[in-house]
Amino acid sequence: MELTTVIPVFNGERFLQTTLECLAMQSRRPDRVVVIDNGSTDRTPELVKGFRGIDCEFHQNPTNLGV
């Protein structure tokens, strides 16, 4: 069974690093991590793309699509 973790985020720079580090330290790490960014204007894309603790797929909406 494959474990996938999906993280929706908008301007989550403040919490994203800790979230990804926690995922990477789990005894049962996810097989797939998908971060879906809703048009962040902070450093969210750079944090995800630069994170080395676990492989992350990054998908960014071109604009904020709202809730």
Side-chain angles (χ1 to χ4, degrees), residues 20-32:
L20 294 174
E21 287 172 357
C22 286
L23 277 176
M25 292 186 315
Q26 295 296 309
S27 57
R28 171 57 171 103
R29 293 171 59 165
D31 300 299
R32 182 176 179 205

Side-chain angles (χ1 to χ4, degrees), residues 4-29:
T4 301
T5 300
V6 178
I7 304 170
V9 64
F10 173 70
N11 287 342
E13 166 180 17
R14 183 172 165 201
F15 303 105
L16 193 55
Q17 183 76 26
T18 303
T19 300
L20 294 174
E21 287 172 357
C22 286
L23 277 176
M25 292 186 315
Q26 295 296 309
S27 57
R28 171 57 171 103
R29 293 171 59 165

Side-chain angles (χ1 to χ4, degrees), residues 26-67:
Q26 295 296 309
S27 57
R28 171 57 171 103
R29 293 171 59 165
D31 300 299
R32 182 176 179 205
V33 177
V34 181
V35 179
I36 301 175
D37 179 48
N38 198 18
S40 291
T41 57
D42 63 1
R43 292 183 49 244
T44 292
E46 291 84 8
L47 287 174
V48 175
K49 292 174 185 177
F51 188 73
R52 299 291 173 238
I54 195 169
D55 289 334
C56 299
E57 295 176 36
F58 181 73
H59 301 277
Q60 186 172 35
N61 296 331
T63 59
N64 186 309
L65 301 178
V67 177

